[in-house]
Amino acid sequence: MSELRTLIIELRGDMNRQFAEVREDMNRRFTAVDGRFGDMDGRVGDMDGRFGDMDRRFGDMDGR
């Protein structure tokens, strides 16, 4: 009976350690994905600025 208790305690410790490792890996990956979305936001912002410039140019041309 004491051997079974020891095995269960060891299994619980191993499972907790492995869950912690998985959690750390997931957090690292989510951080990387968040960084990529931040980069995309910057690029979309740049594109918005460029389209705004084009709209102004077309507006100037229409005014002529």
Side-chain angles (χ1 to χ4, degrees), residues 34-53:
D34 285 344
R36 290 180 184 157
F37 277 117
D39 292 344
M40 287 175 58
D41 278 345
R43 291 179 185 168
V44 169
D46 291 345
M47 288 173 49
D48 275 346
R50 291 179 187 163
F51 282 122
D53 290 342

